[in-house]
Amino acid sequence: MGILRCILLVSLSLVLFGLKTTVSQPQQQAQVPCLFIFGDSLVDNGNNNRLLSLARANYRPYGIDFPQGTTGRFTNGRTYVDALAQILGFRNYIPPYSRIRGQAILRGANFASGAAGIRDETGDNLGAHTSMNQQVELYTSAVQQMLRYFRGDTNELQRYLSRCIFYSGMGSNDYLNNYFMPDFYSTSTNFNDKTFAQSLINNYTQQLTRLYQFGARKVIVTGVGQIGCIPYQLARYNNRNNSTGRCNDKINNAIVVFNSQVKKLVDRLNKGQLKGAKFVYLDSYKSTYDLAVNGATYGFEVVDKGCCGVGRNNGQITCLPLQTPCPDRTKYLFWDAFHPTETANILLAKSNFNSRAYAYPINIQELANI
């Protein structure tokens, strides 16, 4: 192992080592007035519950460790944004937009939807979902709703929203449930890795710009994690079709191309393309890689299998209704074939909040303080 690699591992260990996988009690007052969330199943907290979709998690044992039980979250407990909301000081978790009523919208909303992607057709193989374009449109409707509580004063509403944090985590399904599903989608025929990533960035730029036009000024944009190494891929390829003997390199290589473009997009947006806005890029690929490689440092004993699932790596079929999961979820990096455990989500949220190890050009705490 090179000296530089050793230094990086030591520094990253300092960021996460010794952190308990619990979030401290919420502060008396949140650091920002509201949090708006856009994304897929990694952060969906119940928007898909009433949709005709295979991308649903409103059954046991999902939520087995969550205080409110089974809610539609695709993990055993808290999601990444649940942990982030607590660290920011929110007294309660940000509710799904599908269940928000009245002035509760002023505290924020979660628009995320399992199977959703940047492209509208992404995830159609799993049934109904709310794409990023649709999530953005729901948010614009929410802004019109909020305007009533500011007596129609758009300037005052803009000042309020400019203090809020907007989180957007998109792209995973555009690869898993689109580009790398040639039997259902034609994108891998119409594009190569570079042109597909650029097409996604073109669409994503328009979507993020739309959020900006409706008040977003502090925006977190996440890259895609190392999805070639999730239990589903490890089980599907059974370590035959890759050079490392572990992960699906073809998918990971495509993700690296996309993530590099997302980071460049953040740079462009920060250099005046959207005046007055500040964007933060979260390197989910690197952070998920480091959690897997250094799993023992953070208490993980199993980093290549789901805690709940069926088949090789507990990843051939995802967690089934009423299935008995592993007894100690804190020892597992993955909850099911696709999603991290609560423990992993909390570690990732803490590392992104007050460190620049995975956050660029500033961390989330610095973004909140702007």
Side-chain angles (χ1 to χ4, degrees), residues 46-62:
N47 284 310
N48 275 22
N49 288 355
R50 297 181 182 179
L51 299 183
L52 187 61
S53 173
L54 294 174
R56 287 167 53 169
N58 56 337
Y59 58 84
R60 297 277 286 181
Y62 286 92

Side-chain angles (χ1 to χ4, degrees), residues 51-337:
L51 299 183
L52 187 61
S53 173
L54 294 174
R56 287 167 53 169
N58 56 337
Y59 58 84
R60 297 277 286 181
Y62 286 92
I64 190 171
D65 299 309
F66 192 66
Q68 299 169 20
T70 300
T71 59
R73 287 165 167 82
F74 290 76
T75 185
N76 60 300
R78 285 165 285 184
T79 66
Y80 176 93
V81 292
D82 289 330
L84 178 60
Q86 285 190 285
I87 295 171
L88 284 168
F90 286 92
R91 293 178 180 273
N92 300 300
Y93 303 110
I94 304 302
Y97 181 68
S98 59
R99 294 207 303 267
I100 285 185
R101 299 292 181 271
Q103 294 190 38
I105 190 65
L106 295 176
R107 198 169 53 85
N110 186 323
F111 298 91
S113 172
I118 294 170
R119 294 175 67 95
D120 288 338
E121 82 277 6
T122 288
D124 282 349
N125 54 297
L126 295 172
H129 60 277
T130 307
S131 69
M132 181 59 173
N133 277 327
Q134 292 170 322
Q135 291 179 37
V136 171
E137 287 309 306
L138 289 174
Y139 167 70
T140 64
S141 298
V143 171
Q144 297 303 318
Q145 177 186 346
M146 284 186 281
L147 190 57
R148 295 181 302 177
Y149 302 113
F150 289 84
R151 299 182 179 181
D153 190 333
T154 56
N155 290 330
E156 190 62 29
L157 175 57
Q158 171 59 59
R159 281 191 288 271
Y160 180 80
L161 292 174
S162 69
R163 297 160 49 210
C164 302
I165 284 183
F166 293 72
Y167 172 97
S168 181
M170 277 290 182
S172 296
N173 286 306
D174 292 294
Y175 287 91
L176 286 178
N177 289 296
N178 192 327
Y179 188 64
F180 285 104
M181 196 171 279
D183 293 340
F184 202 96
Y185 301 96
S186 62
T187 44
S188 60
T189 301
N190 299 331
F191 299 94
N192 58 36
D193 289 359
K194 184 176 180 180
T195 56
F196 185 63
Q198 189 56 58
S199 175
L200 291 177
I201 292 298
N202 292 342
N203 292 336
Y204 209 11
T205 301
Q206 295 174 2
Q207 293 157 354
L208 294 174
T209 300
R210 183 75 168 160
L211 293 180
Y212 171 84
Q213 292 169 341
F214 279 78
R217 293 297 182 270
K218 300 180 182 183
V219 186
I220 299 167
V221 182
T222 72
V224 174
Q226 200 180 24
I227 56 177
C229 301
I230 60 176
Y232 173 77
Q233 290 299 333
L234 299 180
R236 185 182 181 193
Y237 286 85
N238 199 25
N239 297 338
R240 290 193 299 267
N241 297 340
N242 58 77
S243 60
T244 64
R246 181 173 184 271
C247 301
N248 185 333
D249 295 332
K250 186 176 181 181
I251 291 182
N252 281 343
N253 291 338
I255 295 304
V256 168
V257 174
F258 172 73
N259 285 346
S260 67
Q261 291 299 316
V262 176
K263 189 174 182 181
K264 290 177 182 177
L265 171 61
V266 165
D267 269 334
R268 290 196 302 272
L269 297 177
N270 280 336
K271 291 178 179 177
Q273 188 169 325
L274 297 180
K275 185 178 179 181
K278 187 65 177 180
F279 286 75
V280 169
Y281 170 72
L282 298 184
D283 192 343
S284 300
Y285 189 97
K286 188 172 185 294
S287 59
T288 55
Y289 170 83
D290 287 338
L291 276 186
V293 171
N294 306 303
T297 302
Y298 313 120
F300 296 122
E301 295 178 0
V302 183
V303 299
D304 61 349
K305 298 178 182 178
C307 167
C308 186
V310 178
R312 288 190 303 272
N313 301 85
N314 280 347
Q316 289 180 283
I317 300 175
T318 197
C319 195
L320 298 174
L322 303 181
Q323 183 178 353
T324 302
C326 62
D328 189 351
R329 273 75 69 180
T330 65
K331 303 299 183 183
Y332 279 70
L333 176 60
F334 291 99
W335 160 250
D336 62 10

